[in-house]
Amino acid sequence: RPSLHQRWEGFKGERIDGDKPTFSVKRSMMIGRSRAGVTVEVYDNQREEYHIEGCFSQRCCTVFNAMKETMAEIYRKVDPTTGNLLGKEVFSLCVKPGFDAAFAMGFVLVLDHISGDDSINDDATTEPTVHPTVEDYEDK
């Protein structure tokens, strides 16, 4: 759920009044940059922090821990028969062994909520998913 100051809070399961959030996500405010990162603070452990860089609306981002080690990656899947990118709703979440996959999925849910407003014009900047074939050039 969003809170004040561009901060979203994540809870374990359904939030019930009185529950404390597990983590919070704060968007980096960089004007004119759609690829600005976010910082994740874990409430149970004040020293645990993550940074997510990339463009979630394009499903292309990486979760780093405080030591800049990759903990998880989000990327769009590709149709193996055609080589075309599948829709934005079809993506992979690859998690480093030992990193809590449910926790990483919580990041995905928050990022999806945050990027909901940013994804209106994203299709204009993406590479087309249909590429010309050899036959297309032979006709010209």
Side-chain angles (χ1 to χ4, degrees):
R1 77 175 171 95
S3 68
L4 297 174
H5 312 294
Q6 295 291 314
R7 185 177 295 273
W8 287 259
E9 296 177 328
F11 296 82
K12 286 186 179 179
E14 289 289 323
R15 180 177 175 253
I16 301 172
D17 286 338
D19 282 353
K20 294 186 181 198
T22 304
F23 65 92
S24 73
V25 177
K26 185 176 189 311
R27 183 180 0 203
S28 301
M29 297 306 295
M30 300 195 75
I31 298 171
R33 289 190 59 197
S34 63
R35 297 179 64 93
V38 298
T39 301
V40 179
E41 295 177 18
V42 181
Y43 288 129
D44 294 342
N45 185 350
Q46 294 299 323
R47 293 180 296 162
E48 190 174 1
E49 184 176 285
Y50 300 95
H51 189 73
I52 304 172
E53 295 178 3
C55 183
F56 182 76
S57 63
Q58 293 299 319
R59 307 305 188 258
C60 180
C61 53
T62 305
V63 177
F64 297 99
N65 65 9
M67 297 181 300
K68 294 299 268 178
E69 297 173 319
T70 299
M71 302 307 290
E73 293 180 296
I74 302 163
Y75 57 89
R76 287 173 62 182
K77 287 190 174 183
V78 175
D79 181 340
T81 60
T82 63
N84 294 332
L85 285 174
L86 299 174
K88 291 181 192 175
E89 67 281 353
V90 184
F91 61 91
S92 291
L93 171 63
C94 293
V95 179
K96 180 179 179 178
F99 191 66
D100 186 353
F103 188 51
M105 191 62 198
F107 296 171
V108 170
L109 295 172
V110 171
L111 289 170
D112 188 50
H113 188 75
I114 291 171
S115 72
D117 296 333
D118 296 342
S119 62
I120 295 170
N121 292 321
D122 283 339
D123 289 332
T125 61
T126 62
E127 184 176 287
T129 57
V130 179
H131 302 283
T133 63
V134 174
E135 294 83 27
D136 292 336
Y137 289 112
E138 290 174 352
D139 293 336
K140 294 183 179 188

